[in-house]
Amino acid sequence: GDPATPPSRSASLALAASLGYMSLNPFTRQREKREEKLEAKLEELKAAQAAPPLSAPMADPAPASAWTPGREVDYEAEDMNKYLPASAQVEQAAPTWQSRPTNYYEPPSRAWQCVSKLQSGFMIGGALGGAFGFLYGTFAAIKYKHVLYLPIAVLQAGGAFGFFLACGTVIRCEEPPLALHPPAA
C-alpha cells in the first residue's frame, strides 16, 4: 500500500502476532474478535452506501390531512366528546351527601385539641431547633472538617427543641372553665 496511510487495526494485530507479541490479558482476544466483526460490518455498510440507490417512486411522506405548521385548527367546531370514555358521555346526577344537617358548631373534643397543640408545638420547636442546629452544625463541620456534623446537629437540636416545646404546650391543655352563672345583661 501507500506509505502515507496508516495500516488498519487488523493488519497491525497480525503484524504484532507474527512478531511474537501476545497479550497476557485474557479479554484481549475477545475484544480483538469483536473489533474485527465491527470492521467487517463497517466495510459492508460502506459498500452498501457506495451502491447506487434503487429508483423506486417515493411515497408521500405526510397525508394532506396531517397537521402542518401553517394550518389553523378550529377547536370549538370540533366535537371533543369523541375522546371521552363512554361512561363520561352519559348525563350523571350530582353527588348527594348523606350527612345529617346541623345548625350548630360542635368544637373538637379536648383530646383532639391537645393533640393539635402537641403537634403544633413540636413543629415550631423542631423548626427553631433545626435552625439553631444548622448554625452550630455548620460551625462544627467547618471546624472539625467533618460534614456529618451538620445533619446530626440539625436533627438533635430540632428533636430536643421540638420535644420541650411540645411538652410546654401540652401542659397548658386544660378544660375551659364552665360558665356557672350567665353573664349579666
Side-chain angles (χ1 to χ4, degrees):
D2 186 15
T5 60
S8 68
R9 174 85 175 140
S10 58
S12 63
L13 290 175
L15 177 65
S18 68
L19 294 176
Y21 166 76
M22 239 14 208
S23 174
L24 297 177
N25 187 346
F27 299 105
T28 302
R29 185 66 194 142
Q30 293 175 0
R31 188 193 75 236
E32 290 170 355
K33 285 182 181 179
R34 284 194 308 267
E35 287 176 353
E36 289 172 3
K37 287 180 184 177
L38 286 174
E39 284 181 8
K41 284 184 182 180
L42 183 62
E43 293 297 327
E44 289 175 14
L45 289 174
K46 285 182 181 177
Q49 285 180 349
L54 298 175
S55 60
M58 290 216 23
D60 188 20
S65 64
W67 181 82
T68 56
R71 183 175 155 218
E72 292 295 323
V73 178
D74 186 17
Y75 289 108
E76 292 178 12
E78 188 175 350
D79 181 27
M80 296 293 179
N81 287 334
K82 64 183 178 184
Y83 299 110
L84 292 175
S87 63
Q89 294 179 4
V90 178
E91 288 295 324
Q92 299 176 359
T96 58
W97 304 105
Q98 300 296 327
S99 64
R100 61 186 177 118
T102 57
N103 293 334
Y104 64 94
Y105 170 73
E106 183 177 343
S109 67
R110 180 176 178 222
W112 284 115
Q113 287 178 352
C114 288
V115 167
S116 176
K117 283 186 179 184
L118 178 120
Q119 181 183 9
S120 63
F122 184 80
M123 286 170 39
I124 291 171
L128 181 65
F132 280 112
F134 180 78
L135 293 175
Y136 172 73
T138 303
F139 165 75
I142 292 171
K143 181 176 180 182
Y144 299 112
K145 295 183 174 126
H146 199 288
V147 75
L148 284 180
Y149 280 117
L150 181 63
I152 291 172
V154 168
L155 292 176
Q156 281 182 340
F161 273 65
F163 174 75
F164 288 119
L165 202 59
C167 290
T169 55
V170 165
I171 61 173
R172 288 176 177 77
C173 243
E174 55 192 41
E175 192 74 32
L178 296 174
L180 295 177
H181 303 287

Tab-separated table of all heavy atoms in Angstrom, residues 15-80:
chain	number	residue	atom	x	y	z
A	15	LEU	N	0.486	-8.162	12.390
A	15	LEU	CA	1.921	-7.892	12.475
A	15	LEU	C	2.436	-8.158	13.878
A	15	LEU	O	3.494	-8.777	14.061
A	15	LEU	CB	2.193	-6.443	12.063
A	15	LEU	CG	3.648	-5.974	12.159
A	15	LEU	CD1	4.507	-6.767	11.163
A	15	LEU	CD2	3.771	-4.489	11.914
A	16	ALA	N	1.684	-7.738	14.895
A	16	ALA	CA	2.096	-7.962	16.276
A	16	ALA	C	2.119	-9.448	16.595
A	16	ALA	O	3.011	-9.923	17.295
A	16	ALA	CB	1.156	-7.221	17.222
A	17	ALA	N	1.154	-10.212	16.087
A	17	ALA	CA	1.121	-11.659	16.338
A	17	ALA	C	2.284	-12.350	15.636
A	17	ALA	O	2.863	-13.306	16.172
A	17	ALA	CB	-0.209	-12.235	15.869
A	18	SER	N	2.660	-11.876	14.422
A	18	SER	CA	3.765	-12.508	13.701
A	18	SER	C	5.102	-12.226	14.360
A	18	SER	O	6.037	-13.005	14.252
A	18	SER	CB	3.772	-12.036	12.246
A	18	SER	OG	4.106	-10.663	12.202
A	19	LEU	N	5.189	-11.108	15.085
A	19	LEU	CA	6.432	-10.781	15.776
A	19	LEU	C	6.536	-11.457	17.139
A	19	LEU	O	7.524	-11.269	17.838
A	19	LEU	CB	6.558	-9.265	15.936
A	19	LEU	CG	6.709	-8.463	14.640
A	19	LEU	CD1	6.714	-6.972	14.945
A	19	LEU	CD2	7.979	-8.871	13.925
A	20	GLY	N	5.525	-12.209	17.520
A	20	GLY	CA	5.584	-12.924	18.794
A	20	GLY	C	4.960	-12.156	19.946
A	20	GLY	O	5.110	-12.534	21.100
A	21	TYR	N	4.277	-11.080	19.654
A	21	TYR	CA	3.617	-10.296	20.704
A	21	TYR	C	2.326	-10.996	21.109
A	21	TYR	O	1.485	-11.296	20.284
A	21	TYR	CB	3.316	-8.883	20.194
A	21	TYR	CG	2.360	-8.112	21.071
A	21	TYR	CD1	2.778	-7.559	22.273
A	21	TYR	CD2	1.037	-7.961	20.709
A	21	TYR	CE1	1.906	-6.865	23.069
A	21	TYR	CE2	0.155	-7.270	21.493
A	21	TYR	CZ	0.596	-6.724	22.683
A	21	TYR	OH	-0.282	-6.044	23.482
A	22	MET	N	2.160	-11.282	22.370
A	22	MET	CA	0.941	-11.878	22.887
A	22	MET	C	0.566	-11.144	24.167
A	22	MET	O	1.397	-10.962	25.047
A	22	MET	CB	1.197	-13.335	23.207
A	22	MET	CG	0.370	-14.390	22.521
A	22	MET	SD	-0.551	-13.888	21.137
A	22	MET	CE	-1.809	-15.051	21.254
A	23	SER	N	-0.679	-10.782	24.275
A	23	SER	CA	-1.145	-10.075	25.466
A	23	SER	C	-1.420	-11.071	26.582
A	23	SER	O	-1.869	-12.194	26.338
A	23	SER	CB	-2.410	-9.295	25.141
A	23	SER	OG	-2.930	-8.726	26.307
A	24	LEU	N	-1.145	-10.663	27.807
A	24	LEU	CA	-1.432	-11.511	28.961
A	24	LEU	C	-2.866	-11.338	29.438
A	24	LEU	O	-3.340	-12.107	30.264
A	24	LEU	CB	-0.464	-11.190	30.104
A	24	LEU	CG	1.010	-11.454	29.800
A	24	LEU	CD1	1.861	-11.023	30.976
A	24	LEU	CD2	1.227	-12.917	29.480
A	25	ASN	N	-3.562	-10.348	28.925
A	25	ASN	CA	-4.942	-10.103	29.317
A	25	ASN	C	-5.844	-11.111	28.606
A	25	ASN	O	-5.839	-11.190	27.379
A	25	ASN	CB	-5.334	-8.676	28.933
A	25	ASN	CG	-6.690	-8.281	29.454
A	25	ASN	OD1	-7.466	-9.128	29.886
A	25	ASN	ND2	-6.984	-6.988	29.400
A	26	PRO	N	-6.639	-11.908	29.361
A	26	PRO	CA	-7.474	-12.917	28.707
A	26	PRO	C	-8.607	-12.321	27.871
A	26	PRO	O	-9.161	-12.996	27.016
A	26	PRO	CB	-8.034	-13.723	29.879
A	26	PRO	CG	-7.966	-12.809	31.037
A	26	PRO	CD	-6.776	-11.922	30.803
A	27	PHE	N	-8.955	-11.080	28.080
A	27	PHE	CA	-10.058	-10.468	27.358
A	27	PHE	C	-9.603	-9.779	26.075
A	27	PHE	O	-10.419	-9.320	25.296
A	27	PHE	CB	-10.791	-9.469	28.250
A	27	PHE	CG	-11.383	-10.108	29.459
A	27	PHE	CD1	-10.808	-9.934	30.703
A	27	PHE	CD2	-12.504	-10.912	29.362
A	27	PHE	CE1	-11.355	-10.538	31.814
A	27	PHE	CE2	-13.048	-11.507	30.469
A	27	PHE	CZ	-12.480	-11.330	31.704
A	28	THR	N	-8.300	-9.698	25.857
A	28	THR	CA	-7.791	-9.010	24.676
A	28	THR	C	-8.230	-9.714	23.404
A	28	THR	O	-8.659	-9.066	22.450
A	28	THR	CB	-6.262	-8.923	24.733
A	28	THR	OG1	-5.893	-8.245	25.923
A	28	THR	CG2	-5.703	-8.182	23.536
A	29	ARG	N	-8.142	-11.042	23.356
A	29	ARG	CA	-8.528	-11.778	22.151
A	29	ARG	C	-10.019	-11.599	21.859
A	29	ARG	O	-10.418	-11.447	20.710
A	29	ARG	CB	-8.174	-13.269	22.313
A	29	ARG	CG	-8.429	-14.070	21.085
A	29	ARG	CD	-7.506	-13.651	19.943
A	29	ARG	NE	-8.006	-14.217	18.699
A	29	ARG	CZ	-7.995	-13.606	17.540
A	29	ARG	NH1	-7.488	-12.404	17.427
A	29	ARG	NH2	-8.476	-14.178	16.467
A	30	GLN	N	-10.861	-11.589	22.928
A	30	GLN	CA	-12.297	-11.385	22.734
A	30	GLN	C	-12.563	-9.998	22.149
A	30	GLN	O	-13.370	-9.835	21.234
A	30	GLN	CB	-13.048	-11.538	24.060
A	30	GLN	CG	-13.035	-12.945	24.605
A	30	GLN	CD	-13.696	-13.024	25.981
A	30	GLN	OE1	-14.155	-12.019	26.503
A	30	GLN	NE2	-13.722	-14.214	26.547
A	31	ARG	N	-11.856	-9.005	22.679
A	31	ARG	CA	-12.026	-7.644	22.176
A	31	ARG	C	-11.581	-7.551	20.728
A	31	ARG	O	-12.226	-6.907	19.903
A	31	ARG	CB	-11.233	-6.659	23.039
A	31	ARG	CG	-11.523	-5.203	22.679
A	31	ARG	CD	-10.555	-4.215	23.260
A	31	ARG	NE	-9.313	-4.298	22.514
A	31	ARG	CZ	-8.122	-4.532	23.053
A	31	ARG	NH1	-7.991	-4.689	24.337
A	31	ARG	NH2	-7.032	-4.600	22.304
A	32	GLU	N	-10.455	-8.224	20.397
A	32	GLU	CA	-9.957	-8.200	19.022
A	32	GLU	C	-10.964	-8.831	18.069
A	32	GLU	O	-11.184	-8.329	16.962
A	32	GLU	CB	-8.610	-8.915	18.942
A	32	GLU	CG	-7.495	-8.143	19.629
A	32	GLU	CD	-6.208	-8.961	19.766
A	32	GLU	OE1	-6.207	-10.165	19.422
A	32	GLU	OE2	-5.217	-8.377	20.219
A	33	LYS	N	-11.605	-9.931	18.480
A	33	LYS	CA	-12.619	-10.571	17.633
A	33	LYS	C	-13.798	-9.630	17.400
A	33	LYS	O	-14.310	-9.506	16.287
A	33	LYS	CB	-13.116	-11.871	18.271
A	33	LYS	CG	-12.142	-13.017	18.173
A	33	LYS	CD	-12.740	-14.258	18.793
A	33	LYS	CE	-11.767	-15.428	18.743
A	33	LYS	NZ	-12.336	-16.625	19.377
A	34	ARG	N	-14.246	-8.949	18.473
A	34	ARG	CA	-15.352	-8.002	18.328
A	34	ARG	C	-14.974	-6.856	17.397
A	34	ARG	O	-15.772	-6.420	16.571
A	34	ARG	CB	-15.761	-7.444	19.700
A	34	ARG	CG	-16.575	-8.410	20.541
A	34	ARG	CD	-17.242	-7.715	21.723
A	34	ARG	NE	-16.332	-6.941	22.541
A	34	ARG	CZ	-15.711	-7.393	23.633
A	34	ARG	NH1	-15.910	-8.622	24.035
A	34	ARG	NH2	-14.908	-6.617	24.321
A	35	GLU	N	-13.729	-6.371	17.517
A	35	GLU	CA	-13.283	-5.284	16.653
A	35	GLU	C	-13.239	-5.734	15.200
A	35	GLU	O	-13.600	-4.974	14.298
A	35	GLU	CB	-11.913	-4.777	17.101
A	35	GLU	CG	-11.959	-3.970	18.382
A	35	GLU	CD	-10.574	-3.550	18.862
A	35	GLU	OE1	-9.561	-3.986	18.270
A	35	GLU	OE2	-10.523	-2.781	19.833
A	36	GLU	N	-12.795	-6.973	14.942
A	36	GLU	CA	-12.756	-7.488	13.575
A	36	GLU	C	-14.167	-7.591	12.996
A	36	GLU	O	-14.396	-7.247	11.833
A	36	GLU	CB	-12.055	-8.853	13.537
A	36	GLU	CG	-10.566	-8.764	13.778
A	36	GLU	CD	-9.909	-10.134	13.932
A	36	GLU	OE1	-10.599	-11.165	13.791
A	36	GLU	OE2	-8.700	-10.161	14.198
A	37	LYS	N	-15.139	-8.051	13.822
A	37	LYS	CA	-16.525	-8.132	13.352
A	37	LYS	C	-17.071	-6.740	13.027
A	37	LYS	O	-17.754	-6.539	12.024
A	37	LYS	CB	-17.414	-8.806	14.400
A	37	LYS	CG	-17.190	-10.296	14.529
A	37	LYS	CD	-18.108	-10.868	15.585
A	37	LYS	CE	-17.850	-12.340	15.817
A	37	LYS	NZ	-18.694	-12.880	16.898
A	38	LEU	N	-16.764	-5.778	13.885
A	38	LEU	CA	-17.242	-4.414	13.652
A	38	LEU	C	-16.617	-3.822	12.397
A	38	LEU	O	-17.279	-3.110	11.634
A	38	LEU	CB	-16.950	-3.529	14.864
A	38	LEU	CG	-17.827	-3.767	16.083
A	38	LEU	CD1	-17.341	-2.938	17.264
A	38	LEU	CD2	-19.261	-3.432	15.768
A	39	GLU	N	-15.321	-4.106	12.174
A	39	GLU	CA	-14.683	-3.601	10.962
A	39	GLU	C	-15.324	-4.215	9.715
A	39	GLU	O	-15.517	-3.535	8.709
A	39	GLU	CB	-13.187	-3.887	11.004
A	39	GLU	CG	-12.426	-2.956	11.915
A	39	GLU	CD	-10.926	-3.221	11.939
A	39	GLU	OE1	-10.438	-4.042	11.123
A	39	GLU	OE2	-10.248	-2.604	12.764
A	40	ALA	N	-15.669	-5.517	9.789
A	40	ALA	CA	-16.308	-6.173	8.655
A	40	ALA	C	-17.683	-5.558	8.389
A	40	ALA	O	-18.056	-5.296	7.235
A	40	ALA	CB	-16.429	-7.668	8.914
A	41	LYS	N	-18.450	-5.300	9.443
A	41	LYS	CA	-19.755	-4.660	9.277
A	41	LYS	C	-19.605	-3.257	8.703
A	41	LYS	O	-20.395	-2.819	7.867
A	41	LYS	CB	-20.495	-4.594	10.613
A	41	LYS	CG	-21.078	-5.907	11.051
A	41	LYS	CD	-21.881	-5.735	12.323
A	41	LYS	CE	-22.440	-7.058	12.797
A	41	LYS	NZ	-23.216	-6.924	14.025
A	42	LEU	N	-18.573	-2.539	9.160
A	42	LEU	CA	-18.339	-1.191	8.670
A	42	LEU	C	-18.018	-1.219	7.177
A	42	LEU	O	-18.503	-0.377	6.409
A	42	LEU	CB	-17.206	-0.537	9.466
A	42	LEU	CG	-16.870	0.905	9.134
A	42	LEU	CD1	-18.082	1.795	9.426
A	42	LEU	CD2	-15.675	1.384	9.912
A	43	GLU	N	-17.224	-2.188	6.758
A	43	GLU	CA	-16.909	-2.319	5.332
A	43	GLU	C	-18.171	-2.626	4.523
A	43	GLU	O	-18.368	-2.083	3.438
A	43	GLU	CB	-15.859	-3.420	5.119
A	43	GLU	CG	-14.492	-3.092	5.690
A	43	GLU	CD	-13.852	-1.892	5.042
A	43	GLU	OE1	-14.070	-1.666	3.835
A	43	GLU	OE2	-13.139	-1.151	5.757
A	44	GLU	N	-19.047	-3.492	5.062
A	44	GLU	CA	-20.307	-3.807	4.376
A	44	GLU	C	-21.183	-2.568	4.228
A	44	GLU	O	-21.777	-2.322	3.173
A	44	GLU	CB	-21.078	-4.887	5.138
A	44	GLU	CG	-20.476	-6.267	5.075
A	44	GLU	CD	-21.225	-7.264	5.945
A	44	GLU	OE1	-22.357	-6.944	6.387
A	44	GLU	OE2	-20.689	-8.346	6.189
A	45	LEU	N	-21.270	-1.763	5.311
A	45	LEU	CA	-22.077	-0.540	5.258
A	45	LEU	C	-21.510	0.460	4.259
A	45	LEU	O	-22.266	1.118	3.532
A	45	LEU	CB	-22.177	0.090	6.649
A	45	LEU	CG	-23.042	-0.659	7.664
A	45	LEU	CD1	-22.946	-0.008	9.028
A	45	LEU	CD2	-24.483	-0.679	7.194
A	46	LYS	N	-20.172	0.573	4.214
A	46	LYS	CA	-19.561	1.494	3.252
A	46	LYS	C	-19.840	1.034	1.830
A	46	LYS	O	-20.114	1.846	0.949
A	46	LYS	CB	-18.056	1.591	3.492
A	46	LYS	CG	-17.685	2.418	4.690
A	46	LYS	CD	-16.191	2.512	4.846
A	46	LYS	CE	-15.812	3.324	6.073
A	46	LYS	NZ	-14.355	3.365	6.262
A	47	ALA	N	-19.802	-0.283	1.605
A	47	ALA	CA	-20.085	-0.808	0.274
A	47	ALA	C	-21.548	-0.580	-0.095
A	47	ALA	O	-21.871	-0.265	-1.241
A	47	ALA	CB	-19.738	-2.294	0.217
A	48	ALA	N	-22.453	-0.738	0.884
A	48	ALA	CA	-23.876	-0.525	0.624
A	48	ALA	C	-24.167	0.944	0.318
A	48	ALA	O	-25.032	1.258	-0.506
A	48	ALA	CB	-24.704	-0.993	1.810
A	49	GLN	N	-23.461	1.852	0.971
A	49	GLN	CA	-23.665	3.276	0.709
A	49	GLN	C	-23.118	3.675	-0.645
A	49	GLN	O	-23.631	4.578	-1.293
A	49	GLN	CB	-23.005	4.124	1.802
A	49	GLN	CG	-23.763	4.115	3.098
A	49	GLN	CD	-23.076	4.968	4.162
A	49	GLN	OE1	-21.951	5.392	3.999
A	49	GLN	NE2	-23.782	5.199	5.249
A	50	ALA	N	-22.060	3.004	-1.083
A	50	ALA	CA	-21.454	3.340	-2.366
A	50	ALA	C	-22.307	2.846	-3.530
A	50	ALA	O	-22.235	3.391	-4.633
A	50	ALA	CB	-20.055	2.740	-2.463
A	51	ALA	N	-23.145	1.825	-3.298
A	51	ALA	CA	-24.000	1.292	-4.361
A	51	ALA	C	-25.062	2.321	-4.719
A	51	ALA	O	-25.559	3.050	-3.862
A	51	ALA	CB	-24.658	-0.001	-3.903
A	52	PRO	N	-25.443	2.411	-6.003
A	52	PRO	CA	-26.469	3.395	-6.386
A	52	PRO	C	-27.827	3.005	-5.805
A	52	PRO	O	-28.159	1.824	-5.726
A	52	PRO	CB	-26.474	3.331	-7.920
A	52	PRO	CG	-25.914	1.983	-8.244
A	52	PRO	CD	-24.950	1.645	-7.136
A	53	PRO	N	-28.625	3.979	-5.358
A	53	PRO	CA	-29.936	3.669	-4.775
A	53	PRO	C	-30.906	3.189	-5.852
A	53	PRO	O	-30.774	3.533	-7.026
A	53	PRO	CB	-30.393	4.993	-4.176
A	53	PRO	CG	-29.655	6.026	-4.966
A	53	PRO	CD	-28.333	5.405	-5.355
A	54	LEU	N	-31.844	2.377	-5.435
A	54	LEU	CA	-32.874	1.890	-6.356
A	54	LEU	C	-33.789	3.043	-6.731
A	54	LEU	O	-34.096	3.909	-5.902
A	54	LEU	CB	-33.673	0.776	-5.689
A	54	LEU	CG	-32.883	-0.469	-5.298
A	54	LEU	CD1	-33.779	-1.438	-4.544
A	54	LEU	CD2	-32.314	-1.140	-6.540
A	55	SER	N	-34.227	3.052	-7.961
A	55	SER	CA	-35.088	4.149	-8.408
A	55	SER	C	-36.548	3.777	-8.184
A	55	SER	O	-37.273	3.463	-9.108
A	55	SER	CB	-34.818	4.464	-9.881
A	55	SER	OG	-35.097	3.303	-10.635
A	56	ALA	N	-36.963	3.746	-6.925
A	56	ALA	CA	-38.350	3.453	-6.569
A	56	ALA	C	-39.067	4.777	-6.362
A	56	ALA	O	-38.480	5.745	-5.869
A	56	ALA	CB	-38.412	2.618	-5.305
A	57	PRO	N	-40.352	4.843	-6.723
A	57	PRO	CA	-41.081	6.103	-6.500
A	57	PRO	C	-41.232	6.354	-4.998
A	57	PRO	O	-41.518	5.456	-4.224
A	57	PRO	CB	-42.434	5.860	-7.168
A	57	PRO	CG	-42.582	4.374	-7.214
A	57	PRO	CD	-41.181	3.816	-7.323
A	58	MET	N	-41.018	7.597	-4.616
A	58	MET	CA	-41.120	7.951	-3.194
A	58	MET	C	-42.581	8.158	-2.833
A	58	MET	O	-43.322	8.783	-3.576
A	58	MET	CB	-40.329	9.228	-2.908
A	58	MET	CG	-38.850	9.017	-3.012
A	58	MET	SD	-37.856	9.936	-1.853
A	58	MET	CE	-38.843	10.329	-0.499
A	59	ALA	N	-42.957	7.621	-1.686
A	59	ALA	CA	-44.321	7.801	-1.199
A	59	ALA	C	-44.453	9.188	-0.590
A	59	ALA	O	-43.477	9.781	-0.150
A	59	ALA	CB	-44.651	6.740	-0.166
A	60	ASP	N	-45.681	9.687	-0.549
A	60	ASP	CA	-45.934	10.990	0.069
A	60	ASP	C	-45.638	10.869	1.556
A	60	ASP	O	-46.238	10.039	2.245
A	60	ASP	CB	-47.399	11.379	-0.166
A	60	ASP	CG	-47.672	12.799	0.290
A	60	ASP	OD1	-46.691	13.571	0.416
A	60	ASP	OD2	-48.842	13.136	0.519
A	61	PRO	N	-44.692	11.656	2.093
A	61	PRO	CA	-44.323	11.494	3.493
A	61	PRO	C	-45.450	11.810	4.475
A	61	PRO	O	-45.523	11.246	5.542
A	61	PRO	CB	-43.151	12.444	3.681
A	61	PRO	CG	-43.244	13.420	2.561
A	61	PRO	CD	-43.957	12.727	1.436
A	62	ALA	N	-46.339	12.718	4.146
A	62	ALA	CA	-47.421	13.073	5.060
A	62	ALA	C	-48.706	13.232	4.262
A	62	ALA	O	-48.731	13.897	3.233
A	62	ALA	CB	-47.106	14.369	5.780
A	63	PRO	N	-49.796	12.625	4.732
A	63	PRO	CA	-51.062	12.813	4.028
A	63	PRO	C	-51.542	14.253	4.154
A	63	PRO	O	-51.088	15.004	5.005
A	63	PRO	CB	-52.010	11.841	4.740
A	63	PRO	CG	-51.385	11.573	6.056
A	63	PRO	CD	-49.898	11.731	5.867
A	64	ALA	N	-52.475	14.618	3.296
A	64	ALA	CA	-52.961	16.001	3.269
A	64	ALA	C	-53.692	16.369	4.556
A	64	ALA	O	-53.768	17.532	4.911
A	64	ALA	CB	-53.873	16.196	2.070
A	65	SER	N	-54.236	15.354	5.266
A	65	SER	CA	-54.984	15.657	6.483
A	65	SER	C	-54.078	15.874	7.686
A	65	SER	O	-54.549	16.222	8.756
A	65	SER	CB	-55.964	14.525	6.788
A	65	SER	OG	-55.239	13.339	7.055
A	66	ALA	N	-52.779	15.642	7.536
A	66	ALA	CA	-51.863	15.805	8.665
A	66	ALA	C	-51.728	17.272	9.018
A	66	ALA	O	-51.914	18.161	8.189
A	66	ALA	CB	-50.503	15.221	8.327
A	67	TRP	N	-51.379	17.510	10.267
A	67	TRP	CA	-51.218	18.877	10.730
A	67	TRP	C	-49.972	19.484	10.123
A	67	TRP	O	-48.911	18.864	10.077
A	67	TRP	CB	-51.121	18.893	12.246
A	67	TRP	CG	-50.976	20.271	12.790
A	67	TRP	CD1	-51.967	21.160	13.018
A	67	TRP	CD2	-49.763	20.917	13.151
A	67	TRP	NE1	-51.459	22.328	13.514
A	67	TRP	CE2	-50.093	22.203	13.604
A	67	TRP	CE3	-48.432	20.552	13.141
A	67	TRP	CZ2	-49.151	23.112	14.039
A	67	TRP	CZ3	-47.487	21.465	13.566
A	67	TRP	CH2	-47.855	22.728	14.002
A	68	THR	N	-50.083	20.688	9.672
A	68	THR	CA	-48.934	21.433	9.171
A	68	THR	C	-48.841	22.723	9.969
A	68	THR	O	-49.840	23.218	10.496
A	68	THR	CB	-49.084	21.749	7.669
A	68	THR	OG1	-50.305	22.459	7.480
A	68	THR	CG2	-49.087	20.481	6.837
A	69	PRO	N	-47.646	23.286	10.084
A	69	PRO	CA	-47.499	24.477	10.934
A	69	PRO	C	-48.383	25.648	10.535
A	69	PRO	O	-48.825	26.401	11.375
A	69	PRO	CB	-46.023	24.832	10.787
A	69	PRO	CG	-45.355	23.594	10.330
A	69	PRO	CD	-46.377	22.812	9.576
A	70	GLY	N	-48.695	25.806	9.271
A	70	GLY	CA	-49.486	26.952	8.857
A	70	GLY	C	-50.978	26.724	8.983
A	70	GLY	O	-51.770	27.644	8.863
A	71	ARG	N	-51.407	25.503	9.244
A	71	ARG	CA	-52.838	25.176	9.273
A	71	ARG	C	-53.417	25.483	10.650
A	71	ARG	O	-52.899	25.030	11.656
A	71	ARG	CB	-53.009	23.686	8.954
A	71	ARG	CG	-54.427	23.250	8.881
A	71	ARG	CD	-54.501	21.799	8.441
A	71	ARG	NE	-55.747	21.256	8.928
A	71	ARG	CZ	-55.907	20.054	9.388
A	71	ARG	NH1	-54.906	19.229	9.426
A	71	ARG	NH2	-57.071	19.642	9.810
A	72	GLU	N	-54.491	26.239	10.681
A	72	GLU	CA	-55.163	26.562	11.934
A	72	GLU	C	-56.261	25.537	12.195
A	72	GLU	O	-56.930	25.079	11.275
A	72	GLU	CB	-55.773	27.968	11.876
A	72	GLU	CG	-54.747	29.057	11.829
A	72	GLU	CD	-53.909	29.137	13.095
A	72	GLU	OE1	-54.447	28.916	14.190
A	72	GLU	OE2	-52.705	29.395	12.968
A	73	VAL	N	-56.454	25.185	13.473
A	73	VAL	CA	-57.479	24.218	13.847
A	73	VAL	C	-58.551	24.956	14.642
A	73	VAL	O	-58.242	25.674	15.592
A	73	VAL	CB	-56.865	23.082	14.700
A	73	VAL	CG1	-57.945	22.110	15.128
A	73	VAL	CG2	-55.787	22.373	13.916
A	74	ASP	N	-59.795	24.761	14.273
A	74	ASP	CA	-60.906	25.361	14.993
A	74	ASP	C	-61.385	24.359	16.036
A	74	ASP	O	-62.140	23.438	15.741
A	74	ASP	CB	-62.031	25.725	14.026
A	74	ASP	CG	-63.133	26.495	14.731
A	74	ASP	OD1	-62.877	27.002	15.845
A	74	ASP	OD2	-64.231	26.600	14.175
A	75	TYR	N	-60.916	24.522	17.262
A	75	TYR	CA	-61.235	23.562	18.318
A	75	TYR	C	-62.688	23.652	18.765
A	75	TYR	O	-63.247	22.677	19.243
A	75	TYR	CB	-60.309	23.770	19.521
A	75	TYR	CG	-58.898	23.345	19.238
A	75	TYR	CD1	-57.888	24.287	19.069
A	75	TYR	CD2	-58.562	21.999	19.134
A	75	TYR	CE1	-56.594	23.897	18.802
A	75	TYR	CE2	-57.269	21.605	18.877
A	75	TYR	CZ	-56.294	22.557	18.708
A	75	TYR	OH	-55.012	22.167	18.454
A	76	GLU	N	-63.301	24.810	18.642
A	76	GLU	CA	-64.696	24.947	19.061
A	76	GLU	C	-65.636	24.228	18.106
A	76	GLU	O	-66.691	23.760	18.505
A	76	GLU	CB	-65.061	26.418	19.188
A	76	GLU	CG	-64.326	27.089	20.335
A	76	GLU	CD	-64.640	28.565	20.455
A	76	GLU	OE1	-65.589	29.035	19.797
A	76	GLU	OE2	-63.935	29.240	21.209
A	77	ALA	N	-65.259	24.105	16.858
A	77	ALA	CA	-66.109	23.416	15.892
A	77	ALA	C	-65.949	21.899	15.985
A	77	ALA	O	-66.837	21.153	15.594
A	77	ALA	CB	-65.766	23.876	14.478
A	78	GLU	N	-64.829	21.447	16.513
A	78	GLU	CA	-64.580	20.010	16.593
A	78	GLU	C	-65.278	19.421	17.819
A	78	GLU	O	-65.322	20.039	18.885
A	78	GLU	CB	-63.070	19.752	16.687
A	78	GLU	CG	-62.723	18.302	16.590
A	78	GLU	CD	-61.223	18.068	16.552
A	78	GLU	OE1	-60.467	19.042	16.404
A	78	GLU	OE2	-60.829	16.907	16.677
A	79	ASP	N	-65.830	18.221	17.671
A	79	ASP	CA	-66.520	17.541	18.767
A	79	ASP	C	-65.483	16.806	19.613
A	79	ASP	O	-64.928	15.794	19.183
A	79	ASP	CB	-67.548	16.551	18.209
A	79	ASP	CG	-68.307	15.851	19.316
A	79	ASP	OD1	-68.433	16.441	20.418
A	79	ASP	OD2	-68.770	14.717	19.093
A	80	MET	N	-65.220	17.320	20.794
A	80	MET	CA	-64.205	16.728	21.662
A	80	MET	C	-64.742	15.559	22.489
A	80	MET	O	-63.980	14.881	23.158
A	80	MET	CB	-63.631	17.786	22.616
A	80	MET	CG	-62.900	18.885	21.919
A	80	MET	SD	-61.412	18.243	21.165
A	80	MET	CE	-60.773	19.698	20.418
